[in-house]
Amino acid sequence: MPWARSHLRAALSLAAVPARGATPEGAARRGLSAWPAPQEPGMEYQDAVRMLNTLQTNASYLEQVKRERGDPQTQLEAMEVYLVRSGLQVEDLDQLNIIHVTGTKGKGSTCAFTERILRNYGLKTGFFSSPHLVQVRERIRIDGLPISPELFTKHFWRLYHRLEKTKDDSCVSMPAYFRFLTLMAFHVFLQEKVDLAVVEVGIGGAYDCTNIIRKPVVCGVSSLGLDHVSLLGDTVEKIAWQKGGIFKHGVPAFTVLQPEGPLAVLRDRAQQISCPLYLCPPLEALEEGGPPLTLGLEGEHQRSNAALALQLAHCWLQRRDQQGIGKLRVSRPSVPWPLPLAPVFQPTSHMRHGLRDTEWPGRTQVLRRGPLTWYLDGAHTTSSVQACVRWFRQALRCSERPSCGPEVRVLLFNSTGDRDPAALLKLLQPCQFDYAVFCPNLTEVASTGNADQQNFTVTLDQVLLRCLEHQQHWSCLGEEQASRGLWSPSSLEPRGPAPLQLVPHRPHPCGTSSLVFSCISHALQWISQGRDPVFQAPSPPRGLLTHPMASSGASILREAAAVHVLVTGSLHLVGGVLKLLEPSLSQ
């Protein structure tokens, strides 16, 4: 890959080098006091976010948790100490009427459905989620909207100064990034007097810092799979044990249908602490006798998330004696189930409209822009990528075919952490992409102008080398396919009229040309070729089209009647793409 490596060198030469000592690492060496903490009046949002970034990002937090997990009780006790130092007691959180949700895939979508349903009842909702896509304040929402920059700034500095004043020699003055935001969310929700808070677990459940919640109203577990295996365990059963750690004595919990092994683990965890655990019936059961339910989120897999959300909302309303919801009745199935079946009920109009009106950017999201259609899904586990592929292929089958001219399919991919990119890329091969594009989760080569997009845990050369590895995996997978003869014409699904032929003889055995770009902006410039009416690309950097493949591909992309772009592999990648394609999200 001589072009890719030369491109890496060029990208590194374009990277902005911060002044000596001007990074969080430099601040850590000199002590956090070296970062000026101006007084509350006149604080700017970006100042608050820059200070927040010095408290470690998620990757560093993961490493810290790995080191400490030998004594999980100590972790939760440390979080409780931070809570007390911030001015709250654990008992104060009971006022929030919390819905606590964990899972491997779909937990964020489940939370979004649940919050939207309950907001339809006229309730004031709080919603804490992670990660953010464009701005960190997205993680803390009131009535479905991210808190304002002013509110974020006020609460950030109030909490920061409180923790600074209460530090002593026996403790670290500041919690890590995610812990700080969790504390801040609790403060915001209490001070804004929400009627309920939907709280999404960060990682796992048992040892997650959100698990200081003592008395949630109801808990939920979405679909389970393998993710964060170095932290949570290398089997789904071990991960199920972690997820079941959010169960509380006497608090109802609901889960969707899981494989037999992890479902048995959840059942045992619930029985050990007398937690009533119910299995959600499929959405079809709740649709019987009424019109089909319309979901605001695309993809067949969202039906499972919606079924769980309906049970969580129904249970919350019932336990809080809202809107005349009747007493919980456990269904009596005619066949034995591993768990009691959750009630089958007729969704109310508020529930129906809530499901229909749910918005959750970056998850099975479609943006249609002239000849370009962007398919955005932050799938990053094997099971979620499988669901993403089903959704994308179904969307292509339902899309309007151009009357003339070729269609082009482009994959924009990145993967981070301890995930297996080769396994994820292999799942994406049936989509038959004409181009595979790889880039890091950086909107620009230098992101110093926007604190929300900064990540100090990796260097530019590290993330670019990872992209080159992704490209190598893609090429190797293609060679394996070619050796098995899977690229014969009869093996390809119909592509509509005028299918794209890159060249008479494909340049790579995998049938896909692949490119690596140094940032998302450069990748989008090449993919869109100025044809997206919203994306305002700056002048392309020198050398962007010097490679023959990039130059010839640019001509094909400019002339294609339709260009379908799937962006997946990382929610952070999707967030960077959304920042550029939807500028309003940054305002």
Side-chain angles (χ1 to χ4, degrees):
M1 293 177 296
W3 173 82
R5 296 195 180 278
S6 64
H7 192 83
L8 169 61
R9 289 194 294 272
L12 292 175
S13 68
L14 291 172
V17 180
R20 182 178 179 86
T23 64
E25 292 87 344
R29 287 191 295 270
R30 292 176 284 117
L32 281 177
S33 60
W35 288 81
Q39 298 305 305
E40 216 167 293
M43 292 288 189
E44 296 293 334
Y45 170 71
Q46 290 290 316
D47 294 330
V49 178
R50 288 189 183 96
M51 184 62 76
L52 173 66
N53 288 341
T54 70
L55 304 182
Q56 305 173 358
T57 56
N58 193 46
S60 298
Y61 172 66
L62 285 178
E63 291 302 320
Q64 175 185 334
V65 173
K66 289 176 192 176
R67 291 192 298 270
E68 297 175 355
R69 64 178 172 175
D71 188 1
Q73 190 59 37
T74 301
Q75 295 178 47
L76 293 179
E77 289 174 357
M79 185 63 182
E80 291 180 14
V81 170
Y82 284 125
L83 186 71
V84 172
R85 285 177 52 202
S86 76
L88 295 177
Q89 300 294 325
V90 174
E91 293 79 8
D92 295 328
L93 305 184
D94 300 346
Q95 305 171 37
L96 293 177
N97 300 316
I98 289 171
I99 299 173
H100 203 191
V101 182
T102 188
T104 304
K105 63 171 184 171
K107 66 183 189 294
S109 298
T110 297
C111 289
F113 279 130
T114 305
E115 184 277 332
R116 190 66 182 88
I117 289 170
L118 293 172
R119 186 162 26 113
N120 266 15
Y121 280 88
L123 297 163
K124 185 173 184 178
T125 63
F127 180 11
F128 178 60
S129 65
S130 60
H132 62 276
L133 294 178
V134 178
Q135 298 193 51
V136 67
R137 59 192 181 89
E138 299 165 22
R139 297 179 182 228
I140 306 173
R141 296 173 181 258
I142 302 291
D143 285 335
L145 296 176
I147 60 175
S148 68
E150 295 77 18
L151 195 62
F152 183 97
T153 302
K154 180 182 79 171
H155 282 288
F156 173 85
W157 288 113
R158 189 172 290 175
L159 177 59
Y160 187 93
H161 291 317
R162 175 81 187 195
L163 291 170
E164 274 285 304
K165 290 175 183 176
T166 57
K167 69 179 180 180
D168 57 37
D169 294 337
S170 65
C171 61
V172 178
S173 63
M174 289 293 158
Y177 184 95
F178 184 77
R179 287 184 178 185
F180 188 100
L181 287 171
T182 304
L183 291 171
M184 184 171 156
F186 291 148
H187 278 271
V188 171
F189 295 155
L190 286 166
Q191 293 181 36
E192 294 298 311
K193 295 180 170 58
V194 299
D195 295 313
L196 69 116
V198 180
V199 177
E200 178 189 358
V201 167
I203 295 171
Y207 311 145
D208 187 72
C209 63
T210 64
N211 208 29
I212 61 171
I213 298 167
R214 224 179 35 140
K215 293 182 179 178
V217 176
V218 61
C219 297
V221 181
S222 66
S223 297
L224 298 179
L226 293 174
D227 195 19
H228 299 298
V229 293
S230 62
L231 180 63
L232 303 179
D234 56 3
T235 68
V236 184
E237 287 75 16
K238 291 178 182 177
I239 289 174
W241 189 93
Q242 296 278 352
K243 305 294 184 181
I246 70 168
F247 296 158
K248 302 295 186 294
H249 173 78
V251 174
F254 296 83
T255 187
V256 298
L257 188 62
Q258 312 279 5
E260 183 179 350
L263 191 62
V265 173
L266 291 178
R267 180 192 61 213
D268 294 344
R269 287 282 264 168
Q271 289 176 347
Q272 288 168 6
I273 58 169
S274 300
C275 162
L277 176 62
Y278 302 98
L279 184 65
C280 295
L283 203 59
E284 291 78 5
L286 277 66
E287 292 176 315
E288 290 181 6
L293 293 165
T294 302
L295 306 186
L297 306 182
E298 295 187 11
E300 185 67 21
H301 58 287
Q302 294 293 355
R303 292 178 63 81
S304 170
N305 301 328
L308 177 56
L310 283 170
Q311 296 294 342
L312 295 174
H314 182 273
C315 182
W316 191 95
L317 290 165
Q318 177 202 69
R319 296 198 81 203
R320 305 310 302 173
D321 195 26
Q322 296 281 331
Q323 306 296 327
I325 294 288
K327 184 178 179 182
L328 183 67
R329 297 189 306 275
V330 179
S331 300
R332 301 291 182 185
S334 57
V335 294
W337 286 83
L339 290 173
L341 211 58
V344 175
F345 57 89
Q346 193 74 35
T348 66
S349 60
H350 290 313
M351 293 175 177
R352 289 180 171 274
H353 293 156
L355 293 177
R356 180 197 65 192
D357 298 337
T358 298
E359 296 180 355
W360 196 226
R363 288 80 170 178
T364 60
Q365 182 180 4
V366 180
L367 298 176
R368 294 180 175 85
R369 304 283 182 74
L372 287 118
T373 305
W374 304 89
Y375 302 84
L376 309 172
D377 190 71
H380 52 273
T381 68
T382 53
S383 54
S384 60
V385 169
Q386 286 172 330
C388 172
V389 167
R390 289 193 296 269
W391 162 69
F392 177 65
R393 297 181 75 180
Q394 177 63 27
L396 288 179
R397 285 192 287 269
C398 296
S399 64
E400 184 178 345
R401 299 291 184 183
S403 57
C404 61
E407 290 185 83
V408 183
R409 296 182 190 178
V410 181
L411 170 66
L412 178 56
F413 178 89
N414 192 35
S415 179
T416 62
D418 59 4
R419 299 174 180 95
D420 182 357
L424 302 183
L425 289 169
K426 186 172 184 177
L427 295 172
L428 290 161
Q429 283 188 302
C431 296
Q432 298 178 35
F433 294 104
D434 300 298
Y435 292 97
V437 177
F438 305 98
C439 70
N441 299 339
L442 303 170
T443 52
E444 306 287 348
V445 173
S447 60
T448 53
N450 190 320
D452 288 287
Q453 299 290 322
Q454 288 177 334
N455 182 352
F456 297 113
T457 64
V458 290
T459 63
L460 180 59
D461 56 339
Q462 287 174 328
V463 294
L464 284 168
L465 286 169
R466 173 118 182 178
C467 291
L468 293 176
E469 292 172 3
H470 295 161
Q471 188 184 44
Q472 287 180 320
H473 288 313
W474 187 256
S475 297
C476 291
L477 288 169
E479 291 169 5
E480 291 175 9
Q481 278 193 322
S483 66
R484 295 195 301 267
L486 297 182
W487 284 106
S488 62
S490 59
S491 71
L492 301 181
E493 65 183 33
R495 295 282 295 267
L500 169 71
Q501 297 296 327
L502 286 177
V503 288
H505 301 284
R506 290 187 180 270
H508 293 284
C510 63
T512 302
S513 299
S514 60
L515 298 168
V516 173
F517 289 95
S518 56
C519 65
I520 297 170
S521 177
H522 295 175
L524 296 192
Q525 288 179 59
W526 183 80
I527 293 169
S528 64
Q529 292 297 312
R531 304 178 74 188
D532 187 305
V534 177
F535 174 50
Q536 300 296 321
S539 299
R542 291 172 57 189
L544 188 65
L545 299 180
T546 54
H547 189 274
M549 188 186 301
S551 180
S552 63
S555 300
I556 291 173
L557 289 165
R558 282 193 297 268
E559 297 168 4
V563 180
H564 301 278
V565 188
L566 175 62
V567 184
T568 193
S570 166
L571 268 171
H572 298 287
L573 173 67
V574 169
V577 170
L578 274 174
K579 174 179 168 58
L580 297 174
L581 295 183
E582 294 275 42
S584 61
L585 294 176
S586 298
Q587 297 172 359

